[in-house]
Amino acid sequence: MEKIPSFTVNHLTLLRGIYVSRIDETPAGDVLTTFDIRMTEPNRQEPLSGAELHTIEHLAATFLRNHPLWKDKVVYWGPMGCCTGNYLILKGGYDSAEILPLMIETFSFIADYEGDIPGATPRDCGNYSYMDLDGAKAQARRYLDEVLLKMTDVESPESRSHLVYPE
């Protein structure tokens, strides 16, 4: 079997960041951009716990699907199986730098979130008690402070290493 493109990315050198994983055209002619929202360095840093990722999923999906500018473009937000980040699928063709402000807003929302986790009830979620709000907030703050907010010049070599997959 042929290796899928996401398994050809060198995970030994991949940094935390925002990457275009793929751009697809649907049979109807719509363009979809899949982003790799990488929160930990694969195989070098501890992955997120499942409960942290589940909480981030609920908060980010709710935030993005209510965002005044982006809600109609959001197709999907969900965790990676390896627990090192999330996938975001948007309608349209975008690059990583274009969604950096959106990711800063999203992770700021999660880091500062107070209250009940949206959809975390037996009626709304298949594993509603598998949540860790404090852990999700801490992971979001870490990603925000250590990665997203440091990308002030998206054209700099330092920022590009967090926005474009390594060779």
Side-chain angles (χ1 to χ4, degrees), residues 104-159:
I104 290 171
E105 282 185 69
T106 302
F107 282 93
S108 294
F109 172 79
I110 295 167
D112 296 334
Y113 188 80
E114 296 293 332
D116 294 334
I117 300 165
T121 68
R123 181 188 173 280
D124 299 336
C125 179
N127 199 1
Y128 77 97
S129 64
Y130 188 54
M131 300 280 178
D132 179 357
L133 181 57
D134 290 337
K137 290 171 64 167
Q139 291 288 1
R141 175 62 57 201
R142 181 174 157 230
Y143 182 58
L144 187 63
D145 291 346
E146 294 178 9
V147 181
L148 300 179
L149 292 175
K150 290 193 174 186
M151 288 193 268
T152 55
D153 176 7
V154 295
E155 296 302 322
S156 74
E158 173 61 25
S159 290

Side-chain angles (χ1 to χ4, degrees), residues 20-89:
V20 172
S21 177
R22 57 188 292 157
I23 297 177
D24 297 291
E25 187 171 329
T26 69
D30 297 320
V31 173
L32 301 176
T33 305
T34 302
F35 290 95
D36 171 337
I37 311 299
R38 192 65 62 152
M39 295 180 65
T40 67
E41 292 181 4
N43 305 306
R44 297 181 307 285
Q45 292 179 327
E46 285 294 314
L48 284 75
S49 75
E52 291 167 342
L53 268 174
H54 190 206
T55 306
I56 290 169
E57 175 192 12
H58 277 241
L59 292 170
T62 299
F63 177 80
L64 291 166
R65 289 188 177 114
N66 284 282
H67 193 280
L69 301 175
W70 290 91
K71 67 182 176 183
D72 294 332
K73 297 174 177 110
V74 175
V75 175
Y76 174 78
W77 174 279
M80 294 178 176
C82 62
C83 299
T84 62
N86 302 273
Y87 287 111
L88 169 63
I89 303 175

